[in-house]
Amino acid sequence: MSSDFKVSVIIPVYNVSGYLARCIESVLTQDFDNYEVILVDDGSTDESGKICDDYAQKHDFIRVVHKENGGLSSARLSGFKVAFGKYLCFIDSDDYLKDSYLKDLYNSIVDNNAEMCICAYYYEKEGNLRPHSLPNDRFCITDIKEEFVLPIVSESNNYSKRMLPNFMWLRMIKRDIISEDLFVSEREVYQEDLVFNLLVSNKLNRISLINKPNYIYCHNGASLTEKYRNNAWQMQINLYNTICRFCHDNGYSVEDSLAKRLINAVVFTVRNAVKIDYQRFLQDIKLMKKDRMYAVASKHFCLRESTKSHRIIFLCLRLHLYFLLYKLYKR
């Protein structure tokens, strides 16, 4: 097999037999040549592994990696380790691509001499497509701190409105700037894509942008984003600590934003816990409230500056109205 591919398309696969063929076919119909596809079967227990093997037998530029289940980040890392392409894309196996995805991102990243390219996307739910544009119309950004990093770490409205989507699947990235330590497990840190982008930011000089939806992100009720996480609070604290270390190491002063992130961690934990039965909900809430970081979040919470939903959550927590909180937010 040639090792001179322009692009490696890495697709982590886990129990997506109902969606996988659609995803792979959308890659095969790209109006772009000289790319390889790496399907990483992350210990699937359905027919996904067989589907991967069937496609690999038909196409010599498709390879399959079978591995024990380790999660999304570990599957991406396994694909990265065997990729030949100068540029990499990481596609979710329950989504699919527009035909110009690879061509547009490749041309943009090369023409702008960038290390990363980001495109817009469609959100598909029940057959309806809703476009999501990038927050600016520029073709390239070079002030990485101001236009890329601070919108990620800062919770202020001034920056958050300018934040580029962190999703890995909207990106083409130069392989040379990627290292194994960037692949943080989603089982340990919430928003692993955000962490990847922070850690890789120090290696970026230029980011090219395509305000054209070339990727279709599909609503999937069984996806990771929809599932209950049994260690949600700790995952949020791990994210908070990671961002704190990054800001400290790089001289970013965003203390107010970090406090808001802790407040959002409380809200996320509550909304996650209501996905299960009340007794488990109660365990999660009490475990969170025992953590010293909850006290820090509560100290910084301001009723006048918060949304109605946040006020209800913090008031119920302060007054121990756990059952009321559970009923209010139970789906």
Side-chain angles (χ1 to χ4, degrees):
M1 175 175 287
S2 171
S3 58
D4 297 325
F5 291 108
K6 294 177 181 177
V7 177
S8 294
V9 180
I10 299 169
I11 307 178
V13 175
Y14 179 70
N15 289 357
V16 285
S17 57
Y19 307 99
L20 183 55
R22 178 185 65 183
C23 176
I24 298 174
E25 290 293 336
S26 76
V27 178
L28 296 179
T29 57
Q30 291 293 299
D31 50 7
F32 181 82
D33 57 10
N34 200 350
Y35 66 95
E36 66 169 342
V37 180
I38 302 172
L39 302 170
V40 184
D41 173 26
D42 189 36
S44 296
T45 57
D46 64 359
E47 293 296 307
S48 296
K50 182 179 182 301
I51 295 172
C52 291
D53 290 335
D54 289 344
Y55 272 98
Q57 289 178 0
K58 298 175 183 177
H59 304 276
D60 60 6
F61 60 92
I62 295 181
R63 287 184 285 152
V64 181
V65 176
H66 294 285
K67 61 182 289 292
E68 293 184 3
N69 181 258
L72 177 61
S73 288
S74 76
R76 287 172 173 169
L77 176 57
S78 294
F80 163 71
K81 288 181 176 179
V82 300
F84 289 135
K86 184 176 181 180
Y87 301 94
L88 307 183
C89 291
F90 298 89
I91 309 301
D92 282 3
S93 52
D94 51 357
D95 300 331
Y96 61 102
L97 310 175
K98 289 290 188 179
D99 291 347
S100 59
Y101 176 89
L102 290 180
K103 180 185 69 176
D104 287 349
L105 270 66
Y106 179 81
N107 288 341
S108 178
I109 199 171
V110 171
D111 292 346
N112 289 285
N113 192 27
E115 294 84 21
M116 177 188 292
C117 178
I118 304 174
C119 72
Y121 67 101
Y122 286 108
Y123 173 66
E124 180 183 272
K125 184 176 182 180
E126 298 177 349
N128 297 314
L129 293 177
R130 185 170 75 238
H132 285 255
S133 300
L134 300 181
N136 60 63
D137 292 322
R138 298 217 304 261
F139 293 107
C140 192
I141 60 175
T142 56
D143 190 340
I144 302 301
K145 175 183 176 180
E146 185 71 20
E147 298 294 337
F148 185 67
V149 177
L150 286 179
I152 292 177
V153 301
S154 178
E155 296 285 292
S156 70
N157 289 333
N158 180 45
Y159 279 112
S160 61
K161 292 178 181 179
R162 293 154 48 191
M163 185 173 72
L164 293 162
N166 284 298
F167 307 122
M168 289 286 286
W169 32 263
L170 292 181
R171 283 158 166 69
M172 182 173 288
I173 311 171
K174 195 172 184 178
R175 191 189 193 284
D176 288 349
I177 71 167
I178 301 177
S179 53
E180 293 187 21
D181 60 298
L182 302 182
F183 296 88
V184 178
S185 174
E186 77 283 355
R187 297 177 178 180
E188 299 176 5
V189 178
Y190 179 66
Q191 289 188 311
E192 71 284 354
D193 288 359
L194 182 152
V195 174
F196 183 101
N197 281 282
L198 273 188
L199 298 181
V200 82
S201 66
N202 288 330
K203 301 178 182 179
L204 298 173
N205 295 302
R206 300 171 68 86
I207 302 173
S208 62
L209 306 175
I210 302 174
N211 220 338
K212 170 184 175 182
N214 270 328
Y215 188 99
I216 298 90
Y217 166 60
C218 301
H219 174 81
N220 178 2
S223 69
L224 183 63
T225 55
E226 300 291 332
K227 291 181 179 179
Y228 163 76
R229 300 170 188 253
N230 60 14
N231 58 343
W233 172 251
Q234 188 58 53
M235 290 170 65
Q236 288 280 348
I237 296 304
N238 291 343
L239 172 65
Y240 172 81
N241 289 333
T242 299
I243 295 174
C244 284
R245 285 194 300 270
F246 178 87
C247 291
H248 177 268
D249 292 344
N250 290 278
Y252 296 120
S253 299
V254 288
E255 286 78 8
D256 290 343
S257 292
L258 291 172
K260 291 180 181 179
R261 191 170 290 277
L262 272 183
I263 292 170
N264 289 336
V266 172
V267 173
F268 176 88
T269 302
V270 170
R271 292 188 180 278
N272 175 75
V274 297
K275 297 177 182 178
I276 50 176
D277 62 85
Y278 179 66
Q279 291 304 317
R280 291 278 301 282
F281 167 85
L282 203 56
Q283 291 177 17
D284 282 10
I285 297 305
K286 290 184 176 180
L287 183 64
M288 174 184 71
K289 293 188 70 176
K290 288 180 181 179
D291 193 301
R292 66 179 184 85
M293 299 307 292
Y294 170 78
V296 176
S298 185
K299 176 183 177 180
H300 284 90
F301 181 75
C302 177
L303 284 174
R304 289 175 298 176
E305 298 177 1
S306 61
T307 66
K308 178 180 178 181
S309 178
H310 286 196
R311 289 197 296 270
I312 291 173
I313 288 174
F314 272 85
L315 283 173
C316 285
L317 290 173
R318 288 177 179 176
L319 298 174
H320 308 287
L321 300 175
Y322 305 130
F323 189 70
L324 175 60
L325 183 60
Y326 181 77
K327 285 297 185 181
L328 286 173
Y329 288 92
K330 180 68 176 177
R331 291 182 178 181

